Amino acid sequence: QVQLVQSGAEVKKPGASVKVSCKSSGYTFTNYYIHWVRQAPGQGLEWMGMINPSGGRTNYAQKFQDRVTVTRDTSTSTVDMELSSLRSDDTAVYFCARTDTSMITTSWGQGTLVTVSS
Amino acid sequence: DIQMTQSPSSLSASIGDRVTITCRASQGISNYLAWFQQKPGKAPKSLIYAASSLQSGVPSKFSGSGSGTDFTLTISSLQPEDFATYYCQQYHSYPLTFGGGTKVEIK
């Protein structure tokens, strides 16, 4: 069965960077896109960006364009999302999600809590 | 960016009630509209794609309709497991955007 397993919770200081991993299994990794969505405490869902694992093409939301980097490793079927220059308002649960090439979402990771605090 | 506006932001309903949630896009998105259900502390669950197509395994009490700018999600007979927050999402163009959510609570 399709599984997206994310790395564990992180606590970071303001100004630092964080890397969250999303390991895929149960399907052909390069046939589906991986997106990153975050959710601040008590708030809604916010799309950050995506990667096409076949070739590595990315697309980022303008809001995160200069702070986020999404990469993939086809040998381990893993997608990483790195967010730099962290601020307190980056405290959120970060989800990875799988879509087909038509952007239809079918699977989600379990979420990773990132806490930014001095 | 395409703005997605959901209404209401919250509602109270009883078991067995028929519930309708509305989502409006700031510009036409054809039928590139998905609905998600999220329970506290959990990842979202995909319910509907292409405005009206049920994801595999989703019960038929959920239905979606609409095209262009106006969409609805209907739960035909509310059950205890349906109390959650529901989000619409457009995937017509980047950046993908979500509605603000509708929290369905027990009356």
Side-chain angles (χ1 to χ4, degrees), chain A:
Chain A
Q1 73 282 19
V2 174
Q3 279 196 302
L4 302 177
V5 179
Q6 297 183 221
S7 51
E10 303 265 11
V11 179
K12 296 291 182 180
K13 294 192 182 303
S17 297
V18 68
K19 181 178 283 190
V20 181
S21 296
C22 174
K23 183 173 176 60
S24 303
S25 62
Y27 70 98
T28 302
F29 179 64
T30 51
N31 286 357
Y32 294 82
Y33 300 162
I34 294 292
H35 300 246
W36 289 92
V37 174
R38 77 178 188 178
Q39 186 170 40
Q43 302 302 308
L45 302 170
E46 181 176 32
W47 183 82
M48 299 178 67
M50 58 79 68
I51 189 166
N52 178 353
S54 176
R57 178 182 65 89
T58 56
N59 193 302
Y60 302 131
Q62 184 77 17
K63 174 178 179 177
F64 302 102
Q65 183 75 41
D66 56 353
R67 293 201 296 138
V68 71
T69 304
V70 179
T71 56
R72 94 297 190 205
D73 182 341
T74 55
S75 68
T76 61
S77 299
T78 298
V79 171
D80 292 333
M81 185 280 298
E82 183 170 22
L83 187 63
S84 64
S85 302
L86 289 168
R87 308 184 286 255
S88 58
D89 62 359
D90 291 318
T91 294
V93 176
Y94 290 76
F95 295 100
C96 61
R98 187 191 82 155
T99 75
D100 62 16
T101 55
S102 299
M103 301 299 170
I104 295 169
T105 305
T106 52
S107 303
W108 293 77
Q110 82 274 21
T112 297
L113 176 61
V114 175
T115 303
V116 182
S117 174
S118 55

Side-chain angles (χ1 to χ4, degrees), chain B residues 1 3 13 38 51 58-59 69 76 79 83 94 101:
Chain B
D1 297 2
Q3 308 302 316
Q38 188 180 33
V58 173
T69 60
S76 60
Q79 297 303 305
F83 291 95
Y94 291 120

Side-chain angles (χ1 to χ4, degrees), chain B residues 10 23 41-42 57 66 71 76-77 89-90 92-93 105-106:
Chain B
S10 66
C23 180
K42 300 294 187 182
F71 303 87
S76 60
S77 177
Q89 179 212 47
Q90 68 79 21
H92 176 273
S93 56
E105 299 176 300
I106 301 173

Side-chain angles (χ1 to χ4, degrees), chain B residues 13-102:
Chain B
S14 300
I15 302 297
D17 282 354
R18 179 183 180 90
V19 168
T20 298
I21 298 168
T22 297
C23 180
R24 174 165 288 175
S26 61
Q27 64 190 74
I29 59 170
S30 185
N31 68 337
Y32 294 97
L33 191 283
W35 289 97
F36 301 92
Q37 176 195 65
Q38 188 180 33
K39 297 181 179 179
K42 300 294 187 182
K45 174 186 176 182
S46 302
L47 296 177
I48 286 171
Y49 65 95
S52 61
S53 298
L54 249 56
Q55 289 279 2
S56 175
V58 173
S60 59
K61 61 181 171 181
F62 292 97
S63 63
S65 66
S67 184
T69 60
D70 294 315
F71 303 87
T72 59
L73 172 70
T74 299
I75 310 171
S76 60
S77 177
L78 205 62
Q79 297 303 305
E81 63 270 19
D82 303 328
F83 291 95
T85 300
Y86 293 84
Y87 294 93
C88 61
Q89 179 212 47
Q90 68 79 21
Y91 53 97
H92 176 273
S93 56
Y94 291 120
L96 308 189
T97 47
F98 292 88
T102 297

